[in-house]
Amino acid sequence: PSLVNLTITPVADAPRLQQPLVSRSIYSNRTDGYTFDLNTFRDPDIGQALSYSATLADGSPLTAWISLNGRSFSFNPPSAAAGTYSIRVVATDPDGLSSLAAADSGAVFNLEVVNAPPQGISLSQSNTNENSPNGTVVGNFTVSDPNTNDSQTLTLLDSAASRFTLSGTSATGYSLVVADGTRLDFEVAATHQIRVRATDSSGLSVEQAFTIS
């Protein structure tokens, strides 16, 4: 019998997608992140460490508020960024072969940026003395907004017949103050109704009524 010697020459293989990336939904004006699983990609050449990069699905660079470090994405979208973004992740091995060279063409996930309206308004205190001097602070307002870094502008829709007004700005915060203390007469009316609107930087708003006693 004849012996035949075969020489097998190893060929480098490109990384392959093993499991799909998960689409995400995040709020604007809020820092968020996403770390994809270590087993998302696999290189048939055992023992090779992979590096990762990302672009938008059409190949254009990521926007300034999206960054990738290793397998971890960081997001910090402004209000104007609301919408859906398709992001492609590419794995590259030490031989310079990438998942783009494989049939799966990398991995794409959708990132939805949501600009939600403010959820509510609270007032730290809702009572004041009869005939309080004009300018007396009744209480301070706090706005609950899923977009935690967003700013809100407050508007007093009902001032209880000009008995109260707002003081402050979106930067410093707002307070409810007495506008006309001569009209705070307990014998005439023990309580007064006001209504406040909070509007975020995108024009989304919420309204809340308060009873002042």
Side-chain angles (χ1 to χ4, degrees):
S2 299
L3 295 177
V4 178
N5 293 323
L6 298 177
T7 300
I8 300 176
T9 302
V11 176
D13 295 300
R16 291 276 187 159
L17 179 68
Q18 294 298 295
Q19 58 190 47
L21 291 165
V22 179
S23 292
R24 310 280 295 177
S25 181
I26 63 173
Y27 290 114
S28 63
N29 283 305
R30 182 172 176 173
T31 300
D32 210 324
Y34 167 46
T35 299
F36 57 87
D37 191 88
L38 178 63
N39 297 316
T40 300
F41 295 91
R42 186 183 70 84
D43 195 316
D45 302 316
I46 298 173
Q48 290 197 323
L50 301 178
S51 60
Y52 305 95
S53 59
T55 64
L56 297 181
D58 63 4
S60 56
L62 296 176
T63 60
W65 51 266
I66 303 175
S67 62
L68 176 63
N69 182 14
R71 293 181 292 108
S72 298
F73 280 96
S74 295
F75 311 116
N76 189 19
S79 298
T84 301
Y85 301 80
S86 293
I87 299 174
R88 183 185 303 282
V89 178
V90 177
T92 303
D93 67 18
D95 297 313
L97 298 177
S98 74
S99 53
L100 282 175
D104 50 65
S105 296
V108 174
F109 71 98
N110 289 326
L111 178 69
E112 181 186 20
V113 179
V114 179
N115 185 24
Q119 300 298 297
I121 310 169
S122 60
L123 181 60
S124 63
Q125 182 172 296
S126 58
N127 60 283
T128 189
N129 293 329
E130 182 180 25
N131 299 316
S132 292
N134 294 353
T136 299
V137 176
V138 178
N140 300 315
F141 290 101
T142 301
V143 180
S144 174
D145 193 331
N147 308 107
T148 52
N149 295 322
D150 206 350
S151 61
Q152 301 85 24
T153 300
L154 266 58
T155 305
L156 188 59
L157 302 176
D158 184 347
S159 63
S162 298
R163 289 177 172 87
F164 303 97
T165 189
L166 295 180
S167 175
T169 66
S170 59
T172 62
Y174 289 89
S175 300
L176 182 69
V177 300
V178 174
D180 187 353
T182 63
R183 306 190 65 189
L184 299 178
D185 188 334
F186 184 84
E187 286 70 33
V188 174
T191 62
H192 304 283
Q193 301 294 318
I194 66 167
R195 191 168 189 84
V196 180
R197 176 190 293 146
T199 306
D200 69 14
S201 60
S202 295
L204 303 176
S205 65
V206 65
E207 296 180 11
Q208 190 108 13
F210 297 92
T211 298
I212 310 301
S213 58

